[in-house]
Amino acid sequence: YIRPADDGVVATPTSVSSGIIGEYGKQWYQRRVRVRIGGAAIQASVGFAGVWVVNKAHDIYHRKGTFGDRPGNGVGWIHIPGKLQWVASGHGLIVGVNKNHDIYYRTVDPRHPVGTKWVHVPGKLMQIDVHGNTVMGVNKHHHIYKAPLAKA
């Protein structure tokens, strides 16, 4: 259930009028919709693998019932073992980096929506994201890296 916000503006994107956000984004921005779902986080990601967040202690959580881009808010948080400072939800995998800038991923699917283990990847990044068949990240020198996902 989504209700209109009763206070303030959720975001102030400069790209609303330029069409970058698209029609759905314009509606979200203009209506100022938001839902408080409980919990607290320093970073969040929403993707096909669901809603994933990292809290201030760098604990990782997945919002139950959000895998597969389902509508709705999910029901509760599932604690995921490990510590990350950044997490990103993709299609079939989750990627993340820890405070030492080590890179990790875990595969997910409908039978295992939170996966089973983190796999370390060589390299160092302080921020990471995944979309489609591409992973991108930024290192401590603010250099941007892009890599295609390997075919399984």
Side-chain angles (χ1 to χ4, degrees):
Y1 171 70
I2 296 178
R3 64 175 175 78
D6 55 0
D7 60 342
V9 174
V10 174
T12 314
T14 57
S15 55
V16 171
S17 61
S18 67
I20 293 171
I21 290 180
E23 194 56 39
Y24 181 79
K26 286 180 189 177
Q27 291 173 7
W28 174 83
Y29 171 74
Q30 291 168 353
R31 292 181 185 166
R32 297 187 252 180
V33 295
R34 66 178 179 178
V35 173
R36 175 135 168 71
I37 59 173
I42 60 168
Q43 191 265 324
S45 179
V46 179
F48 190 81
V51 176
W52 291 72
V53 301
V54 174
N55 70 12
K56 66 181 178 181
H58 293 205
D59 296 319
I60 310 152
Y61 291 89
H62 167 73
R63 186 73 175 175
K64 186 176 180 180
T66 60
F67 182 88
D69 217 8
R70 292 184 192 159
N73 301 323
V75 288
W77 293 103
I78 300 170
H79 180 256
I80 307 300
K83 297 276 189 180
L84 294 175
Q85 73 176 11
W86 199 278
V87 66
S89 174
H91 197 282
L93 84 158
I94 305 301
V95 295
V97 295
N98 66 14
K99 68 179 182 178
N100 298 319
H101 300 176
D102 298 316
I103 306 165
Y104 293 91
Y105 76 91
R106 72 194 287 134
T107 57
V108 294
D109 61 49
R111 293 186 60 208
H112 305 96
V114 297
T116 58
K117 66 179 181 175
W118 290 107
V119 178
H120 180 257
V121 176
K124 298 280 189 178
L125 294 172
M126 66 179 195
Q127 187 271 333
I128 193 166
D129 205 350
V130 59
H131 180 72
N133 294 322
T134 303
V135 174
M136 290 190 72
V138 178
N139 72 7
K140 69 179 181 178
H141 303 291
H142 305 281
H143 298 151
I144 302 167
Y145 291 88
K146 176 181 175 184
L149 293 173
K151 299 281 184 197

